Amino acid sequence: MRIFASSDLHTDFPDNWRLVRELSTQAFVADTLIVAGDVADDLGVIEGTLKMLRARFRHVCYLPGNHELWVRDAAYDSVEKFEQVLALCRRLGVHTQPVALDGCWVVPLFSWYDADAARAAIADYAELEGWADFYFCKWPSGMGLPVADFFLRLNEPHLKSYDRPVITFSHFAPRADLLPAPEWLRFKALFKVASCDGLEEQLRRAGAAVHVFGHSHIACDRVIDDVRYVQSPLRYPRERRTQEFPLKMIWRS
């Protein structure tokens, strides 16, 4: 069995939908795909994409990114949509909880950035004024704690010792030094909305050997203190140099 990493499929773009649809229906039937968030914000597109992936891979491990939690003008809030996405995954047989595979565990870690700090940073980074999450995410008034803490608490039951090597994954980066320095970026404020404090400590508690993440659309494959950090994003069509689905093999057993 092989395990492949991916993220940021954005299949609400026709070109990206086509690349997913064109994945071989034979080459990966014994393999696992990790999707580290941002398939789409439309529930119908999310369902169609996950169905296509389930038809091509033995296992699909997935968690929602920020786009999935956009509600726009819906009657429900972002936490309710999060629960809808998880219910959809249960129906489709997509793993959003820890799963034991051949030779390893795959453990999803939910996450969010510090939304309050990001909003406060608008005074210094005017480009954050247009950050879509501020307009399309709707958090319930009774959450009782910051958004990032809400998601990190969901991971607590899964932070334990496992009986085989562990691959964790999240949508947001677990540490800011996995992102390029702001001077190299067109969107200088990326670091304010791309990493999650507390996630690094959680993946270490789970004993991760590999951690897959997404969101920044910037490919990454680095080892820091014995953990391999991987991002393999499909990206928006305008950001790609090739028309190939970026399947990056990270494990073989």
Side-chain angles (χ1 to χ4, degrees), residues 203-219:
L203 71 88
R204 298 279 172 172
R205 284 167 60 193
V210 182
H211 183 81
V212 177
F213 66 102
H215 186 62
S216 71
H217 294 198
I218 300 169

Side-chain angles (χ1 to χ4, degrees), residues 69 71 74-82 84 137-141:
L69 303 194
V71 296
Y76 44 79
D77 61 42
S78 293
V79 171
E80 290 170 323
K81 190 176 183 190
F82 173 73
Q84 289 179 40
C137 291
K138 182 170 64 176
W139 304 108
S141 57

